[in-house]
Amino acid sequence: MTVAGKETPRERYRAQLRAEIKERAWEQIAAAGASGLSLNAIAKQMGMSGPALYRYFASRDELISELIRDAYRSLADTVRTAAASGADLAGLGHALRAWALDDPQRYFLVYGTPVPGYHAPDDVTEIASEIMESLLDAAQSGGTAADTPDDARLEAHLAEHRRWAADHPASPAALRRALLFWTRLHGILSLELAGQFTGMGLDPAELYENELRHLTR
Amino acid sequence: MTVAGKETPRERYRAQLRAEIKERAWEQIAAAGASGLSLNAIAKQMGMSGPALYRYFASRDELISELIRDAYRSLADTVRTAAASGADLAGLGHALRAWALDDPQRYFLVYGTPVPGYHAPDDVTEIASEIMESLLDAAQSGGTAADTPDDARLEAHLAEHRRWAADHPASPAALRRALLFWTRLHGILSLELAGQFTGMGLDPAELYENELRHLTR
DNA sequence: TGTACATCAGTGAACGCGCGTTCACTGATGTAC
DNA sequence: TGTACATCAGTGAACGCGCGTTCACTGATGTAC
């Protein structure tokens, strides 16, 4: 029964409980923000004592780091899946927006206000590059339209400052499109998720589609 | 000596101490984020006991609300001054960027991750509209270039959903420019202030200038 | 100009709370012969 | 198949901490006659 590398019942139980702890953690973050996350509160909600959680996470910081990692991973998977299925930037944009709206606080864990002093786990930078690669893939294949003279200067700069895309054969125009995709859509999404459009009477989705149209022109 | 409406020495002292409390509060926020703000820590730093601060602020929440108000006020003044001196959107953009870089945490207090459950003071919505008015002023006077067909759909939407600009005689094209100014520049600024460009090797200022060129084309 | 009184700033003790984390322990589950 | 031992999950008590906030108080500053 026990194949080499197969997990034991105990390991299965462990993994399951770790998952449930993270589940409750996300609920708490959704309810009170990341700064309101409390190990004791999670334990209480799961019907066990506080110290019990230390069997599964070494500290509160480790739990938060794990959540941040998962958030990055989830976004990278979403974007990669879309890119792999041949989506253009508009397709990626729709996938990104759906992902963001699905869990705003998860979005903010990746792109939100940084807490001075806190340092994100090292491995997220790798996942972040993975995200950029997917953007570059989509930006490279789609959008062959002529560049306006307005863009020449930025493309020249990017052609000489592309450490972030050193391993990718994207053209300067593709570099520019990928970056604008990122900054423009993030601008709308973060304002929308923060409720800044509330009461203005307009539909953020229209703004979003407008940007996607420009980016895939 | 005491003119009607003139402040007494005691009032002057009160105002001065309130200002110093806020000053220390900003320092703390810069060092540990808004969630790390502590009345007791401020008091200790000022060489007085914790309860003493309750002479000046009714609660921690009132202090934070005051800081948020001040942040909005400061931004509104910055933008209005620039607009009043006849600056175009590029000029406003430079003023905005300088303001943001001057104190990143102040920027995030206005546009950063919302804390679920916390409700911003009511009067900030009024200041927020004041900011939008300055943007609309600059967007209306400058930028008379022809719109691309890409923009037609968004402008049609905005023409019919302009509650936020109900009191302003801006054209649909100006509405669109003002909004894109806001979302695009916020996209770059918030990512830059959060350190998301770190290690990428590019200069965010180039991205920023590129957007300003597009917006004033 | 001096005295009597009111106002107000600031203190120190205290309350109640929840936090992260440690430690010694009990009891159940798995492993080895 | 049954027994002996090791592993591990979870508990309850405890530590130390800092938080926001209240309260009764002292002492200084201002105001009224």
Side-chain angles (χ1 to χ4, degrees):
Chain A
M1 177 63 79
T2 307
V3 185
K6 200 64 173 188
E7 56 185 0
T8 68
R10 246 183 194 159
E11 285 168 344
R12 275 169 44 92
Y13 180 75
R14 258 189 88 77
Q16 186 179 322
L17 217 66
R18 265 181 77 95
E20 185 176 346
I21 292 171
K22 292 205 247 175
E23 203 55 49
R24 303 293 171 207
W26 281 116
E27 290 173 13
Q28 267 196 30
I29 287 177
S35 65
L37 196 158
S38 147
L39 286 189
N40 288 325
I42 292 174
K44 183 177 296 184
Q45 203 185 354
M46 291 176 65
M48 48 203 296
S49 74
L53 297 201
Y54 284 79
R55 291 271 164 197
Y56 302 92
F57 293 94
S59 67
R60 179 180 184 273
D61 257 24
E62 193 192 284
L63 172 56
I64 290 189
S65 291
E66 185 80 11
L67 295 177
I68 291 178
R69 242 188 303 268
D70 287 356
Y72 267 93
R73 247 294 44 93
S74 166
L75 175 55
D77 290 348
T78 298
V79 167
R80 180 162 40 79
T81 300
S85 74
D88 62 351
L89 282 180
L92 280 198
H94 290 133
L96 171 63
R97 183 154 201 268
W99 183 84
L101 294 178
D102 183 53
D103 189 341
Q105 286 295 325
R106 183 180 57 183
Y107 183 91
F108 285 124
L109 219 49
V110 173
Y111 290 126
T113 306
V115 175
Y118 177 79
H119 211 63
D122 291 340
D123 36 348
V124 303
T125 62
E126 202 172 344
I127 311 181
S129 343
E130 193 184 319
I131 294 170
M132 289 314 282
E133 271 174 42
S134 295
L135 296 197
L136 287 170
D137 288 345
Q140 177 73 351
S141 59
T144 57
D147 301 315
T148 77
D150 283 343
D151 296 323
R153 174 174 165 158
L154 177 58
E155 289 184 11
H157 174 78
L158 294 178
E160 294 194 347
H161 299 82
R162 48 182 295 160
R163 191 175 353 148
W164 56 286
D167 299 335
H168 200 284
S171 68
L175 297 181
R176 180 184 52 82
R177 275 195 302 273
L179 281 173
L180 293 190
F181 174 93
W182 189 33
T183 62
R184 289 182 179 178
L185 298 189
H186 165 71
I188 297 174
L189 281 177
S190 63
L191 290 174
E192 177 181 6
L193 297 180
Q196 296 277 0
F197 294 128
T198 306
M200 289 181 68
L202 59 87
D203 183 2
E206 292 283 345
L207 276 175
Y208 202 83
E209 292 302 322
N210 177 72
E211 292 294 29
L212 289 183
R213 252 177 278 130
H214 271 89
L215 288 163
T216 55
R217 177 183 24 171
Chain B
M1 176 63 77
T2 308
V3 186
K6 200 65 172 186
E7 55 185 2
T8 68
R10 247 186 193 158
E11 285 167 345
R12 276 169 44 92
Y13 178 76
R14 258 188 87 77
Q16 187 180 323
L17 216 66
R18 266 182 74 97
E20 186 176 346
I21 292 171
K22 292 205 248 175
E23 204 55 50
R24 303 293 171 207
W26 281 115
E27 290 172 15
Q28 268 198 28
I29 287 177
S35 65
L37 196 159
S38 146
L39 286 189
N40 287 326
I42 292 174
K44 184 177 294 183
Q45 203 184 355
M46 291 176 64
M48 49 201 296
S49 74
L53 298 200
Y54 285 78
R55 291 272 163 197
Y56 303 92
F57 293 94
S59 67
R60 180 180 184 273
D61 256 26
E62 193 191 284
L63 172 57
I64 290 189
S65 290
E66 185 81 11
L67 296 177
I68 291 178
R69 242 189 303 268
D70 287 356
Y72 266 92
R73 246 296 41 94
S74 167
L75 174 55
D77 289 349
T78 297
V79 167
R80 180 162 40 79
T81 300
S85 74
D88 63 351
L89 283 180
L92 280 199
H94 291 133
L96 171 63
R97 184 154 201 269
W99 183 84
L101 293 178
D102 183 54
D103 189 342
Q105 287 295 325
R106 183 180 56 183
Y107 183 90
F108 285 124
L109 220 49
V110 173
Y111 290 126
T113 305
V115 176
Y118 178 79
H119 212 63
D122 291 340
D123 36 349
V124 304
T125 61
E126 201 171 346
I127 312 181
S129 342
E130 193 183 320
I131 294 170
M132 290 313 284
E133 271 173 43
S134 295
L135 296 196
L136 287 170
D137 288 346
Q140 177 72 350
S141 60
T144 56
D147 301 314
T148 77
D150 283 344
D151 296 322
R153 175 173 164 157
L154 176 58
E155 290 185 10
H157 175 78
L158 295 177
E160 294 195 347
H161 300 82
R162 49 181 296 161
R163 192 174 353 147
W164 56 288
D167 298 335
H168 201 284
S171 68
L175 297 181
R176 180 183 55 80
R177 276 196 301 272
L179 281 173
L180 292 190
F181 174 93
W182 189 33
T183 62
R184 288 181 179 178
L185 300 189
H186 165 71
I188 297 173
L189 282 177
S190 63
L191 290 173
E192 178 180 7
L193 298 180
Q196 297 277 358
F197 294 127
T198 306
M200 289 181 67
L202 59 88
D203 183 1
E206 292 282 344
L207 277 175
Y208 202 83
E209 292 303 321
N210 178 72
E211 292 293 29
L212 289 182
R213 252 176 280 130
H214 272 89
L215 288 163
T216 53
R217 177 181 26 171

